[in-house]
Amino acid sequence: MLIQALVVDDSRSALDYLKRTIEADGQVEVTAFTDPVLALATARNLDIDIVFADYEMPKMDGISLIRRLRSLPKFSDI
């Protein structure tokens, strides 16, 4: 079973690099977003094991994204 990772970064180049690096060993599957609001909305329908979020992003910073995810019962341990 693959580990499911959510990666959110407003920089497309950083996001692409992180996705390639995290998936390199074949044990992790990444769902990636450049928009934290869209990531949060979509995450409600995903099973996620780990989240990597950029600290500074427009609309919502990484800390706020993690806090909002943790407020959802299925992500309380993220």
Side-chain angles (χ1 to χ4, degrees):
M1 184 168 138
L2 291 175
I3 296 168
Q4 298 299 313
L6 176 67
V7 179
V8 186
D9 194 314
D10 60 314
S11 166
R12 173 54 67 186
S13 60
L15 189 66
D16 291 343
Y17 173 78
L18 287 168
K19 184 174 181 355
R20 277 192 319 273
T21 302
I22 293 167
E23 290 182 333
D25 70 356
Q27 295 182 30
V28 180
E29 181 176 37
V30 171
T31 303
F33 292 91
T34 56
D35 181 344
V37 175
L38 181 59
L40 180 61
T42 305
R44 297 171 194 269
N45 300 316
L46 301 174
D47 291 322
I48 298 169
D49 299 303
I50 190 167
V51 177
F52 297 90
D54 183 7
Y55 182 77
E56 289 186 39
M57 296 181 284
K59 299 181 188 175
M60 182 186 318
D61 65 44
I63 300 298
S64 297
L65 173 63
I66 298 298
R67 283 187 180 138
R68 288 188 177 185
L69 279 171
R70 285 184 174 169
S71 73
L72 302 172
K74 75 186 258 184
F75 298 120
S76 62
D77 64 342
I78 289 290

